[in-house]
Amino acid sequence: LLHTLGLKTDGLISAVIYPSLLVFSLYFGYILQRATHHDEEDEGIVAQLRSERRDILLRNFVVAPIVEEIVFRSCMVPLLLPHLGPHWTIFVCPLFFGVAHIHHMFDHLRS
């Protein structure tokens, strides 16, 4: 089943850890800024996290991103790999992932 979805078990750990560390490093500055920013209207992310239920936090910040990444890659890699090869697929797949989420930036700019 995993092979049919485009996932291989060899190298799976590194394929999950490296992109996760990359995403974390990309958002670390924003997370740190939100954690230390204190405004009268905005409590900061730490206060927001303390007020949330743990199951919701686990769902939103752990399970959802991992599942989304696995589903997206399992759809994109089999389509890109035959045409681009493994090296280009590694670089192009995250670009498609970013383009698929660019609407969040536009929504943020509008508000």
Side-chain angles (χ1 to χ4, degrees):
L1 178 64
L2 291 176
H3 182 69
T4 306
L5 293 174
L7 295 173
K8 298 177 183 172
T9 55
D10 56 323
L12 184 62
I13 299 297
S14 62
V16 170
I17 290 176
Y18 293 144
S20 299
L21 289 174
L22 176 63
V23 170
F24 176 75
S25 68
L26 291 173
Y27 287 101
F28 182 71
Y30 175 75
I31 293 170
L32 185 63
Q33 178 186 9
R34 295 286 296 166
T36 59
H37 176 73
H38 296 289
D39 194 0
E40 293 172 3
E41 295 177 9
D42 186 34
E43 300 174 340
I45 198 167
V46 173
Q48 292 174 6
L49 291 177
R50 287 184 183 146
S51 67
E52 292 288 333
R53 292 182 13 211
R54 290 183 190 221
D55 59 336
I56 294 174
L57 291 175
L58 182 67
R59 180 198 68 192
N60 291 347
F61 295 110
V62 178
V63 176
I66 290 172
V67 170
E68 182 182 21
E69 184 73 23
I70 290 171
V71 168
F72 186 83
R73 285 187 186 267
S74 67
C75 292
M76 290 300 296
V77 169
L79 296 173
L80 295 174
L81 194 59
H83 304 287
L84 300 178
H87 292 86
W88 279 104
T89 299
I90 290 170
F91 290 108
V92 172
C93 192
L95 295 176
F96 281 116
F97 191 80
V99 169
H101 289 85
I102 197 127
H103 67 279
H104 293 296
M105 181 185 73
F106 294 123
D107 291 341
H108 182 70
L109 291 174
R110 285 186 193 137
S111 62

